[in-house]
Amino acid sequence: MHTPLSRRSLLTGCSPSSGVGSSNDSSSHSGERTGKEILFYLSAGHDFAPYKRVISKFEQDHKVKVTIQTFQWPDLQQKLTADFLSGTTPDITEEPGGFWATRFGNDGNIMALDDYIKKDKGFLDDFVPAGLDVRQASGKTYAVPMHLTMGGLVFANSEMLAKAKVPMPTTWEEFLEATKRIQASGVEHGCALNNDSSYGTPWLLQNGIKYTADKSTPMQPADAAVEAMVFQRDLVYKHKVSPTPVASSEYSGPRKLLTSKRCGFIITGPWDISAVRTEDKNFPLIIGAPLKHKEQKTTIAGSGLMIPTKSQNADLCWELIKVLTDADVQAQVTKEVGMACSRKSWAKSDVVQNDPNMRVVATARDLAVAPDRAYWPNQNMAKIADAGKVMYENVILSNKDPRSEVAIYNKTVGKLLSR
């Protein structure tokens, strides 16, 4: 989600792409590329077939070679930082929808795209505002959203719901009741919470908390944060409807409990749709919208495309952005790999309208926000994220007192904001 690098992203290594014009030899990209080659940094696993097809056509139409290099997100951030320092950058790069575009833009390393946007009047009108907002600062747009996903979706086994005679829950209270009834029907666990702290953030948002730059109480109201942590903790230790999450860099445990039919619910995002299908192609998956308590909100995720200031093919890269975010291409990506995308019109495509689960995903885009945006300008983002991780793990994994852990979080982050 919108931690700088969630544990879901903390994977190591760089994987070569087998896509169009792919290469992992960065030494071949030094010097002049203008008019000959576009160097494209892409997140590992995102070189989807529909993108490869349109890039191949783009190469033919513009007589240019598109060379793709793929990286895990942490490695991509490190590579870009080194590139900005050296002055030799890619021509275009994917970004994970957090602070990258706005911070790198404010630093002068990423182009503001507004001149291009003015020439292509109306281009941004078809994009979901939430996806644009996280890429805009001081009246400038630094990236265009490509994928738009969110956390906080309720994944369930529809057969278990039917057997327990419970509808898809829409509130915290309904969720707790449904987990109890599913467990009473003979299922091992009513639900399964995740060990990754980012999966706990939607609960905080739904109880009305805000992350602020107030150094005395960055996460407020503190009592509401405590209530949200208590509710999650009680699912494990009081109601015993969820197993205790195990500390790990792997976040797939709850999903595997779901697909092995050992639990009824998990809270996750669209990235798990294809994984569920892979683990059990006949799994009776049904997806519910993010839960409502004081509010109905969840965390935004996804990715976008941005152009480094020192791109040697900026004009062509803008044309490539338009091709890769085309509505028909987005529909193809969803059909072939299940990815949720960023255009408003994507929700009206047949591939979404004919799939009840994807219709829920499309609607949930309007509930997604970047909760920690107040922290984005701060250079201590990683340490702030670590403080959230510690709070979550101490409460949910170790059953420590939520009130004291929230107080420690606020004290720790307040000091980091003061630096």
Side-chain angles (χ1 to χ4, degrees):
M1 318 317 152
H2 264 283
T3 51
L5 291 173
S6 72
R7 290 177 65 183
R8 178 167 62 82
S9 303
L10 289 177
L11 305 173
T12 59
C14 158
S15 61
S17 166
S18 58
V20 179
S22 65
S23 169
N24 261 355
D25 179 9
S26 60
S27 64
S28 67
H29 307 305
S30 59
E32 184 67 24
R33 293 192 307 272
T34 304
K36 299 177 182 178
E37 179 188 25
I38 291 174
L39 178 56
F40 188 178
Y41 288 176
L42 198 64
S43 174
H46 284 183
D47 51 342
F48 302 136
Y51 295 149
K52 291 180 181 179
R53 291 196 294 267
V54 297
I55 288 174
S56 180
K57 185 176 186 303
F58 185 88
E59 288 179 315
Q60 296 173 17
D61 292 345
H62 295 277
K63 304 296 188 294
V64 65
K65 178 184 178 184
V66 179
T67 299
I68 298 173
Q69 289 187 336
T70 62
F71 304 84
Q72 301 290 353
W73 286 124
D75 301 294
L76 180 52
Q77 184 179 16
Q78 185 177 15
K79 184 72 168 71
L80 280 175
T81 301
D83 286 352
F84 294 149
L85 289 172
S86 71
T88 302
T89 69
D91 296 295
I92 180 173
T93 181
E94 190 177 9
E95 46 81 22
F99 62 90
W100 290 25
T102 54
R103 181 183 292 179
F104 291 153
N106 287 334
D107 290 344
N109 291 310
I110 292 296
M111 292 179 59
L113 302 175
D114 301 274
D115 287 344
Y116 291 118
I117 292 167
K118 288 177 184 177
K119 292 178 182 178
D120 286 293
K121 189 176 181 180
F123 173 69
L124 291 188
D125 293 349
D126 190 38
F127 288 87
V128 175
L132 289 170
D133 181 66
V134 295
R135 296 169 173 89
Q136 295 172 326
S138 303
K140 296 180 180 180
T141 300
Y142 291 102
V144 174
M146 184 165 61
H147 307 143
L148 204 167
T149 64
M150 69 298 298
L153 295 176
V154 183
F155 278 37
N157 182 320
S158 63
E159 294 176 355
M160 289 182 183
L161 292 181
K163 182 179 178 181
K165 297 181 180 180
V166 292
M168 174 63 73
T170 61
T171 67
W172 286 15
E173 293 78 13
E174 290 175 0
F175 182 82
L176 175 57
E177 178 64 21
T179 61
K180 290 179 176 179
R181 289 174 62 177
I182 284 176
Q183 197 165 29
S185 73
V187 179
E188 185 176 357
H189 306 291
C191 66
L193 297 187
N194 207 295
N195 58 278
D196 187 319
S197 60
S198 62
Y199 288 74
T201 306
W203 301 94
L204 292 164
L205 295 176
Q206 289 157 16
N207 208 36
I209 75 102
K210 301 288 189 297
Y211 294 88
T212 75
D214 181 344
K215 298 178 182 62
S216 63
T217 314
M219 183 169 59
Q220 53 184 258
D223 285 346
V226 173
E227 290 173 0
M229 298 306 296
V230 167
F231 185 87
Q232 295 173 80
R233 182 197 62 175
D234 286 353
L235 291 172
V236 179
Y237 301 101
K238 179 181 178 180
H239 306 297
K240 300 185 185 301
V241 292
S242 168
T244 304
V246 177
S248 170
S249 60
E250 177 55 64
Y251 70 96
S252 63
R255 186 190 70 235
K256 291 179 179 177
L257 287 175
L258 182 73
T259 56
S260 63
K261 301 183 179 178
R262 294 176 57 198
C263 79
F265 295 105
I266 63 172
I267 303 296
T268 187
W271 51 84
D272 268 335
I273 294 175
S274 61
V276 168
R277 291 171 178 167
T278 299
E279 290 169 13
D280 181 353
K281 64 179 181 181
N282 296 315
F283 186 82
L285 177 66
I286 182 171
I287 297 178
L291 297 170
K292 183 177 182 180
H293 194 54
K294 292 179 180 176
E295 300 181 28
Q296 188 181 21
K297 284 185 179 180
T298 192
T299 47
I300 193 170
S303 69
L305 296 169
M306 58 187 186
I307 302 174
T309 304
K310 293 188 178 181
S311 170
Q312 297 184 33
N313 277 299
D315 291 350
L316 277 177
C317 288
W318 174 250
E319 297 303 316
L320 183 58
I321 286 175
K322 291 192 293 182
V323 167
L324 291 171
T325 59
D326 179 80
D328 289 339
V329 174
Q330 292 198 342
Q332 292 171 37
V333 168
T334 302
K335 181 178 181 179
E336 296 186 27
V337 301
M339 177 62 74
C341 294
S342 58
R343 282 184 175 269
K344 296 176 184 176
S345 58
W346 170 83
K348 301 176 183 178
S349 65
D350 289 343
V351 69
V352 175
Q353 288 300 309
N354 294 336
D355 184 333
N357 286 333
M358 291 309 300
R359 291 202 301 270
V360 172
V361 173
T363 301
R365 297 183 303 174
D366 292 330
L367 304 173
V369 298
D372 61 350
R373 186 151 189 183
Y375 302 156
W376 288 6
N378 194 283
Q379 296 301 316
N380 291 310
M381 276 287 293
K383 292 180 179 179
I384 292 173
D386 284 343
K389 172 179 175 290
V390 170
M391 177 185 71
Y392 180 85
E393 292 186 352
N394 282 347
V395 175
I396 307 304
L397 278 63
S398 302
N399 195 21
K400 292 187 177 181
D401 176 49
R403 185 166 297 279
S404 64
E405 293 302 322
V406 168
I408 291 170
Y409 172 89
N410 273 330
K411 183 177 180 180
T412 301
V413 174
K415 289 180 178 179
L416 292 169
L417 292 174
S418 298
R419 294 177 186 173

